[in-house]
């Protein structure tokens, strides 16, 4: 018995809490689908660091056709970074979230390791109302987010229609954006914000001495003069 494979069908791809449909053909290369997804979601920085994943966290092989990769009609795929190392307009930060963030960073880093959190909120709003603390390995000089955690996080965002608005992490001394920070943000869309807190967040909960930057459309980071250019307290 011969199994019939649909020549043309739709799959769904989610990126940072937003899901969109894509038409594919069975003989089309996965690389072509990946490229279309990156263009559709307007990813501007380091697109080569993004790949397509199934919901179980397995990588969709880019050097195969849609058929050979085993993609099915209406399958939901995750467009997400291979690894994470570490919108224009004002975002509204929920009350006490800054203090919660500092407590999380301190408890994890213990004054000797870098730590990271992600500020999230409803995809269609400018509100930041939650702080996500990823599973990660860490040292005094950096961190790397757990791959399985990242897959599950991406799925939760899509299901809840939420997005990562800001990534926040610590440095041991002065706050600045390192080469790794530049290259591996969790979201690579223009307008995404990155905040670096100095001294392992051991100081008072404040944006004082923090490095605050916004990703530009050309993929470069623009340092802001103050966090008030990007975030206000709700």
């Amino acid at each position: 018995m011969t199994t019939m494979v649909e020549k043309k069908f739709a799959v769904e791809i989610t990126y940072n809490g937003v899901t969109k449909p894509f038409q594919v053909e069975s003989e089309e290369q996965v690389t072509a689908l990946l490229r279309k997804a990156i263009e559709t979601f307007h990813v501007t920085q380091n697109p080569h660091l993004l790949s397509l994943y199934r919901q179980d966290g397995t990588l969709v092989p880019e050097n195969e056709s849609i058929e050979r990769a085993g993609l099915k009609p209406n399958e939901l795929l995750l467009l997400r970074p291979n690894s994470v190392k570490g919108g224009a307009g004002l975002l509204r930060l929920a009350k006490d979230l800054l203090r919660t963030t500092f407590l999380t960073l301190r408890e994890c880093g213990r004054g000797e390791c870098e730590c990271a959190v992600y500020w999230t909120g409803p995809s269609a709003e400018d509100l930041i109302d939650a702080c996500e603390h990823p599973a990660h390995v860490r040292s005094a000089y950096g961190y790397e987010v757990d791959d399985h955690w990242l897959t599950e996080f991406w799925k939760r965002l899509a299901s809840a229609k939420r997005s990562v608005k800001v990534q926040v992490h610590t440095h041991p001394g002065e706050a600045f954006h390192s080469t790794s920070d530049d290259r591996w943000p969790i979201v690579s869309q223009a307008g995404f914000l990155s905040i670096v807190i100095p001294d392992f967040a051991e100081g008072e909960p404040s944006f004082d001495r923090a490095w605050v930057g916004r990703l530009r459309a050309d993929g470069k980071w623009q340092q802001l003069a103050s966090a008030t250019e990007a975030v206000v307290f709700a």
Side-chain angles (χ1 to χ4, degrees):
M1 179 178 177
T2 302
T3 301
M4 297 297 294
V5 177
E6 292 189 49
K7 293 297 184 181
K8 191 171 185 178
F9 56 90
V11 297
E12 291 188 323
I13 297 177
T14 185
Y15 180 76
N16 195 25
V18 177
T19 302
K20 296 185 178 183
F22 290 82
Q23 291 292 323
V24 298
E25 297 186 6
S26 60
E27 296 180 357
E28 180 181 355
Q29 291 294 303
V30 172
T31 50
L33 175 60
L34 175 61
R35 185 167 56 251
K36 284 192 294 186
I38 289 171
E39 292 173 354
T40 299
F41 285 105
H42 304 294
V43 176
T44 60
Q45 187 195 47
N46 296 325
H48 62 284
L49 297 179
L50 296 176
S51 296
L52 293 172
Y53 288 79
R54 292 184 171 86
Q55 292 193 73
D56 63 2
T58 57
L59 178 68
V60 179
E62 296 175 16
N63 60 343
E64 298 283 6
S65 67
I66 296 295
E67 179 180 350
R68 289 181 62 85
L71 298 189
K72 307 298 183 186
N74 302 314
E75 184 171 0
L76 178 64
L77 303 174
L78 315 176
L79 177 64
R80 43 145 285 202
N82 290 306
S83 61
V84 178
K85 305 175 184 178
L90 292 175
L91 295 173
R92 297 179 296 120
L93 184 63
K95 183 180 179 181
D96 294 332
L97 200 59
L98 183 61
R99 182 172 296 277
T100 298
T101 296
F102 267 69
L103 288 175
T104 300
L105 296 172
R106 287 175 187 165
E107 290 175 0
C108 177
R110 302 186 306 278
E112 57 187 20
C113 290
E114 290 193 13
C115 179
V117 298
Y118 302 124
W119 285 349
T120 68
S123 296
E125 300 179 28
D126 59 6
L127 177 66
I128 301 168
D129 59 5
C131 177
E132 292 275 354
H133 184 213
H136 61 286
V137 293
R138 61 198 187 280
S139 72
Y141 307 105
Y143 67 93
E144 184 168 350
V145 175
D146 179 77
D147 190 72
H148 176 72
W149 183 92
L150 186 59
T151 294
E152 293 303 310
F153 181 47
W154 231 236
K155 289 160 60 177
R156 284 194 287 115
L157 288 174
S159 177
K161 293 182 171 54
R162 295 177 63 83
S163 300
V164 180
K165 309 290 187 178
V166 186
Q167 67 177 24
V168 184
H169 78 281
T170 59
H171 273 189
E174 179 185 0
F176 64 95
H177 227 232
S178 68
T179 301
S180 292
D181 299 335
D182 286 345
R183 293 183 60 193
W184 283 299
I186 190 170
V187 174
S188 296
Q189 290 172 310
F192 186 66
L193 295 172
S194 178
I195 298 176
V196 184
I197 305 295
D199 302 326
F200 294 130
E202 290 292 298
E204 286 296 312
S206 167
F207 290 124
D208 293 346
R209 298 179 56 228
W211 188 97
V212 183
R214 176 180 285 130
L215 188 59
R216 302 187 319 207
D218 63 2
K220 304 295 184 182
W221 287 94
Q222 175 188 1
Q223 183 176 3
L224 305 182
S226 167
T228 57
E229 294 184 27
V231 179
V232 295
F233 290 101

